[in-house]
Amino acid sequence: GRWLTAHTTHFRIHYRPGADSLAMLAAREGERAYAALARELVPPRQSIDLVLSDAADFSNGSAQVSPSNRIVLLVTPPLDVPELQNYDDWLRLLISHELTHIFHLDRVKGPWGVVQAVLGRLPGTFPNNYQPAWVAEGLATYYESRLTGRGRVWGSFHTQLLAAAALGDRWLSAGEATYISPRWPDGIAAYAYGSRFFARLAEAGGDSAVPRFIEKTSGQLVPFRTGHPIGAVSGIRRDSLWSSMKREYEQRAAHPESAAEVVASKLRAPPAAAASHGDLAWFESRGDEPAAIVVKRANGQVSRYRTTSGVDLAWAGDTLYATWLELADPFTYRSDLHRLVGDQWQQMTHGARLTDLAAGAAGVVAVQVTGTGNRLGILTDDSVIALTQDPPGTTWASPAMHPSGAILAVQHDRFGYHVVSISPGSTREAELVGATGNQVLTDPVWSPDGSLLFYASDESGLPQVHVMHPDGGVLTLTTEPAGATQPMPASDGWLYFTALEADGYAVKRIRWDPDALADRLSDASGITVSGPEKLVDATDSLASAVAIRTGGYAPWAALRPHYFVPLIIKKGSAGTFIGLLTSGSDPVGRVAYGIQLGVGTEGARLDGVLSVIYQRWAHRAVDLYLSQDWGDAGRITSPISADVRSRERDAELGVSNLWAGWYRSLALRVAGHYEEDHFESSPELAFINPAFAGVSVTLGTGTLERPPLAISNEDGITLSARYRHRWRLDTEGWSEDWRGRIAVYEAIKGIGLFAHPVLAGKVSMATSSGP
């Protein structure tokens, strides 16, 4: 699609038409974060490409320093992500985090700096990229919190993770807190352990210990070491600090052992449980199974429905509604509403971008993503009617519905969290509970009779389930050692909630008595619930205005070659070729190329490859391949003895079309080919130098499962077929060939490993014909 670029002192900001205000905000926040980081860390050596993407209905970001400094931001706000709920402004926190990666990874000294001075930004020559994952993510999370006053260092989710690990005797070592692990919490461990480690290092060794650590690792010859540079800059042993963290989190989780009954456990994502009339549904993501919605009926019947991710659930009487993510095209993730009819799911919206759900007397209410923000909407037969139109920076989550039809939701702005009751037309009727600073309020829900309000709050440092009466009085209902969220009171007397344990999320339940709670709340009526304190955020006033110049998409600064790999290739009688290899891509992924070029030392011979992929469209890509390859074709002995050199020229132009779903895909490629073979030897010898042209059609499809911890594709089949026809250009002749491949994967269930063994079978077939 179409892109535009805004230029500032340190950034090139790439954005879609219509997102001008977002680009201006990103420019200000980017320069703000740059100035703050530059006070402690050495600035990066080149400008930074910053891509603002609205391609996903979830929150994320990424940063890379090779071949050039670039950041991609998924701008959807993350109020439904437990790890990311503690922020004042999502874009501010996201830019601060990813920009720290650039400052950290771009820093190169010592022998690494010498190599880059000669060869450029060669992949593999950035020493801080060799550090364990907890270093890179820990530093970025530490600075995200330091620069914004919020963030994950101050949030309760990482406290939950580490408390659960400490109490459950599953504390990870410094070598285990990686991106990829079969053990919970998988990649989140790098953020949780790393950020709290560097916060403790700064506390014990002073604020300068962290910048000095980065300087130390940026030049060390053995780049993956962490213990030595930590000791050198702080005088503190890494493992001692790591062990002291464990003791701290054992003390933080000093609640009694939970007396709640476990319904489901070892889940790798929040279960979003919903209950109605004795029926219970939850989202189940385990390591060895595809994600599924599990429905447990009051009569004991259990059904599983395979789904994707990003699931939320709500009952309206006996009808279960759900939202989940699906691929709208190979690069766009959209969340839509579905309804369970009988034993089949019926999709109710297409591209509506609906996430959190509530259902009841007033119908179905959901949070609707609007790109950089969201709003509450109520569903009609064929559309979503907005219930809120808020200023930028205000976002919504966790809607709930009173039996009377009144709508409840969590509102977030730069002052904090507020649980409010609203009505159509954006009229705020009442604020029921509020929180400021780093306190997070989530998951409000009414009791079935509408008399009591349940919610989760982390005011004690760990989130626990609370209950309040609208007229006053608040009680804490859970004392889970590592916290509890997502309360769901059911009419059958059970209170379901989500707990965090050492091996994942768990759905638990305890008994609750509305009358007994009402009496206890009456006794607790002296407890007050704080409303939002209007804080003045000093970071809102930027030091100076940011100069911004806008225009058309400007990819060339990032697209040009940024590194060169020297090559010396010996090719027998064809001689020695001296050359270079490089590659590159533009910031939004429209163009990618690779170039290898060599010059022969014996005669003016060029040898090289050019490969280019151009993908401006969602479903289509164009690829070009050109090569000239000199080689040693061997030696002939008759009629004379002589070495033979070969030169092969190849050209191919292809157009690919891709249709992708979460578990299935279909790809079609049509290409044209040209090949020319040339032979050289003694002047006394003459050779036939054939030339060919051809066309090919390739089709591939498949449906596969791949659970989070899978070691292979599972429970599916892939098929591919290619037809090619070639013509001889220098004389008459033709050929055609067919190739086919079928692969089948069958998971072997019931073996107690972290992933299923897989029985895989493949059959390949080919046939050729023609003169």
Side-chain angles (χ1 to χ4, degrees):
R2 187 171 169 234
W3 291 81
L4 301 172
T5 301
H7 302 260
T8 70
T9 304
H10 300 106
F11 295 89
R12 293 180 294 269
I13 300 169
H14 310 287
Y15 61 99
R16 295 286 196 181
D20 302 79
S21 60
L22 174 65
M24 300 306 105
L25 180 60
R28 291 192 294 271
E29 292 295 347
E31 292 294 344
R32 171 191 174 278
Y34 192 104
L37 283 169
R39 287 197 290 266
E40 290 199 8
L41 308 179
V42 176
R45 292 163 290 166
Q46 59 175 216
S47 293
I48 302 158
D49 288 280
L50 180 65
V51 179
L52 302 174
S53 172
D54 185 27
D57 290 347
F58 55 83
S59 312
N60 211 333
S62 64
Q64 64 184 77
V65 294
S66 181
S68 66
N69 289 332
R70 55 188 72 183
I71 294 171
V72 176
L73 305 181
L74 302 183
V75 297
T76 300
L79 277 188
D80 58 344
V81 183
E83 184 182 4
L84 299 172
Q85 288 170 332
N86 189 3
Y87 67 92
D88 55 354
D89 181 274
W90 168 235
L91 196 62
R92 173 172 297 178
L93 182 134
L94 188 56
I95 289 176
S96 299
H97 181 98
E98 301 301 341
L99 187 59
T100 301
H101 282 316
I102 299 296
F103 271 73
H104 171 221
L105 300 177
D106 181 81
R107 184 63 176 141
V108 172
K109 294 175 15 180
W112 305 95
V114 173
V115 172
Q116 288 202 9
V118 177
L119 302 179
R121 305 175 68 86
L122 183 67
T125 62
F126 292 84
N128 288 330
N129 256 325
Y130 291 94
Q131 294 284 305
W134 64 264
V135 172
E137 297 303 348
L139 285 167
T141 308
Y142 165 76
Y143 274 109
E144 125 201 337
S145 300
R146 186 160 180 196
L147 266 59
T148 68
R150 302 286 179 89
R152 284 166 274 191
V153 169
W154 309 115
S156 60
F157 183 74
H158 286 174
T159 305
Q160 287 185 268
L161 284 180
L162 298 182
L167 288 178
D169 197 26
R170 292 174 67 94
W171 187 263
L172 301 181
S173 70
E176 294 172 322
T178 62
Y179 288 127
I180 300 174
S181 169
R183 295 178 62 182
W184 167 259
D186 196 29
I188 304 176
Y191 298 79
Y193 287 83
S195 62
R196 299 300 169 90
F197 178 89
F198 283 108
R200 289 182 65 86
L201 179 65
E203 182 180 339
D207 290 343
S208 66
V210 176
R212 285 186 284 122
F213 167 77
I214 293 175
E215 285 298 293
K216 192 75 175 176
T217 61
S218 300
Q220 62 179 353
L221 190 59
V222 183
F224 47 79
R225 292 190 304 173
T226 58
H228 173 74
I230 287 170
V233 302
S234 68
I236 302 169
R237 292 183 64 246
R238 181 200 65 190
D239 292 344
S240 296
L241 199 59
W242 202 273
S243 297
S244 70
M245 276 204 311
K246 180 181 179 182
R247 292 192 295 273
E248 174 191 342
Y249 285 97
E250 286 173 335
Q251 296 169 0
R252 285 199 185 193
H255 288 292
E257 186 174 344
S258 172
E261 178 181 330
V262 177
V263 177
S265 62
K266 300 182 180 179
L267 309 180
R268 300 177 72 88
S276 176
H277 304 305
D279 294 336
L280 179 67
W282 68 87
F283 172 61
E284 190 165 285
S285 175
R286 298 185 183 275
D288 61 348
E289 294 289 345
I293 294 171
V294 180
V295 180
K296 185 176 183 180
R297 300 289 182 179
N299 61 9
Q301 177 187 351
V302 178
S303 302
R304 293 178 59 89
Y305 304 93
R306 187 180 71 172
T307 185
T308 60
S309 69
V311 172
D312 196 49
L313 300 164
W315 290 94
D318 296 330
T319 302
L320 180 62
Y321 292 88
T323 59
W324 62 71
L325 287 165
E326 187 52 270
L327 282 162
D329 61 52
F331 306 97
T332 306
Y333 295 81
R334 291 291 179 252
S335 183
D336 274 296
L337 180 68
H338 304 75
R339 177 176 60 191
L340 186 60
V341 179
D343 203 40
Q344 299 293 323
W345 286 98
Q346 179 185 81
Q347 185 166 347
M348 300 182 65
T349 66
H350 296 269
R353 311 189 69 178
L354 304 176
T355 54
D356 289 8
L357 282 180
V364 178
V365 175
V367 174
Q368 185 174 37
V369 176
T370 59
T372 59
N374 63 29
R375 63 190 181 191
L376 287 180
I378 188 164
L379 275 74
T380 65
D381 291 338
D382 56 0
S383 64
V384 180
I385 299 175
L387 294 176
T388 57
Q389 296 291 345
D390 306 290
T394 300
T395 49
W396 295 87
S398 304
M401 199 169 294
H402 194 273
S404 67
I407 297 164
L408 190 75
V410 173
Q411 183 197 56
H412 176 272
D413 57 27
R414 65 190 184 93
F415 299 112
Y417 283 83
H418 327 287
V419 177
V420 298
S421 178
I422 66 168
S423 63
S426 304
T427 301
R428 179 184 291 191
E429 296 179 347
E431 177 170 308
L432 301 178
V433 58
T436 58
N438 286 307
Q439 183 182 341
V440 174
L441 294 175
T442 60
D443 312 316
V445 60
W446 290 106
S447 59
D449 64 357
S451 63
L452 301 174
L453 175 64
F454 296 79
Y455 63 93
S457 170
D458 62 0
E459 59 184 295
S460 65
L462 286 169
Q464 299 291 350
V465 174
H466 295 67
V467 62
M468 68 170 288
H469 193 283
D471 295 331
V474 179
L475 292 173
T476 303
L477 293 182
T478 58
T479 56
E480 288 294 309
T485 57
Q486 296 184 334
M488 180 53 59
S491 57
D492 58 2
W494 287 106
L495 172 65
Y496 297 89
F497 60 88
T498 297
L500 199 60
E501 299 186 329
D503 52 4
Y505 292 94
V507 179
K508 294 186 175 184
R509 66 180 185 177
I510 56 176
R511 284 289 182 183
W512 72 288
D513 183 340
D515 295 330
L517 279 183
D519 292 340
R520 291 175 61 193
L521 284 167
S522 176
D523 294 338
S525 59
I527 299 175
T528 59
V529 181
S530 63
E533 179 186 353
K534 302 301 181 182
L535 302 176
V536 177
D537 189 348
T539 60
D540 278 352
S541 57
L542 301 178
S544 60
V546 175
I548 303 173
R549 175 175 55 87
T550 61
Y553 180 47
W556 303 111
L559 190 59
R560 68 172 178 82
H562 288 270
Y563 73 90
F564 298 93
V565 179
L567 299 173
I568 300 176
I569 304 174
K570 294 185 177 182
K571 297 192 173 186
S573 63
T576 300
F577 290 79
I578 299 176
L580 298 168
L581 179 149
T582 189
S583 65
S585 62
D586 72 318
V588 304
R590 177 182 292 176
V591 180
Y593 67 88
I595 299 173
Q596 177 182 321
L597 184 64
V599 178
T601 58
E602 302 172 15
R605 300 191 183 103
L606 288 178
D607 188 275
V609 176
L610 170 66
S611 177
V612 181
I613 297 177
Y614 181 77
Q615 189 151 346
R616 184 189 177 99
W617 315 275
H619 293 279
R620 184 171 297 113
V622 177
D623 60 273
L624 173 68
Y625 176 84
L626 302 173
S627 75
Q628 177 163 291
D629 182 22
W630 284 91
D632 186 342
R635 183 174 180 82
I636 61 172
T637 57
S638 177
I640 63 172
S641 295
D643 293 319
V644 181
R645 296 175 294 275
S646 65
R647 181 196 68 203
E648 181 177 329
R649 289 174 174 168
D650 288 288
E652 184 170 325
L653 180 66
V655 178
S656 298
N657 291 271
L658 177 63
W659 299 269
W662 204 277
Y663 292 107
R664 64 191 65 85
S665 63
L666 174 66
L668 173 67
R669 181 173 182 268
V670 179
H673 316 261
Y674 174 79
E675 178 186 338
E676 174 186 295
D677 297 331
H678 175 78
F679 300 95
E680 290 183 358
S681 186
S682 167
E684 302 172 23
L685 298 174
F687 295 89
I688 296 173
N689 296 311
F692 309 90
V695 295
S696 66
V697 179
T698 305
L699 181 67
T701 186
T703 174
L704 295 167
E705 293 181 354
R706 195 173 181 93
L709 298 182
I711 60 170
S712 163
N713 295 325
E714 294 187 7
D715 295 334
I717 183 171
T718 64
L719 304 96
S720 64
R722 190 194 76 171
Y723 169 75
R724 182 177 67 165
H725 194 101
R726 301 171 76 204
W727 297 270
R728 184 82 176 260
L729 299 179
D730 58 310
T731 184
E732 293 185 358
W734 60 270
S735 71
E736 65 179 11
D737 60 77
W738 291 85
R739 297 185 186 187
R741 179 182 182 273
I742 301 174
V744 179
Y745 305 86
E746 182 68 31
I748 303 173
K749 308 292 175 69
I751 298 179
L753 304 174
F754 71 84
H756 295 139
V758 178
L759 182 65
K762 181 178 71 174
V763 176
S764 297
M765 300 150 286
T767 178
S768 298
S769 62

